[in-house]
Amino acid sequence: EPMLSPLLWTTMATGRRPEDHGVCDFLAIDPASGRRVPIPSSFREVPALWNIASDAGLDSLSVLLREGAEKAMNRLHTKAISE
């Protein structure tokens, strides 16, 4: 079964688990119409990094990954292919 990208992206953007941030599917029920719609950010129950930065008075946000992150990902990718 494929992973749900809204769940994954929201987890990355908030640093919180799906049960905390509340985004667990591609679609949600629109309270006004009762129809299933693509899940909007208003369903997110915790702030994303850019919300936290904005609340702190920052007008830009940079995310720095350590140099070793890509090396680790390459090792994981290589291992997955070779198994």
Side-chain angles (χ1 to χ4, degrees), residues 65-75:
L65 300 175
R66 293 180 51 105
E67 182 181 330
E70 284 193 353
K71 291 178 186 175
M73 290 305 294
N74 285 336
R75 280 197 304 275

Side-chain angles (χ1 to χ4, degrees), residues 11 54 63 75 81-82:
T11 299
S54 180
V63 178
R75 280 197 304 275
I81 291 173
S82 66

Side-chain angles (χ1 to χ4, degrees), residues 40-80:
S41 62
S42 61
F43 278 73
R44 195 177 60 231
E45 297 175 8
V46 298
L49 292 173
W50 48 87
N51 301 124
I52 295 167
S54 180
D55 290 347
L58 301 173
D59 58 6
S60 65
L61 175 67
S62 296
V63 178
L64 176 64
L65 300 175
R66 293 180 51 105
E67 182 181 330
E70 284 193 353
K71 291 178 186 175
M73 290 305 294
N74 285 336
R75 280 197 304 275
L76 289 172
H77 181 68
T78 303
K79 183 177 179 185

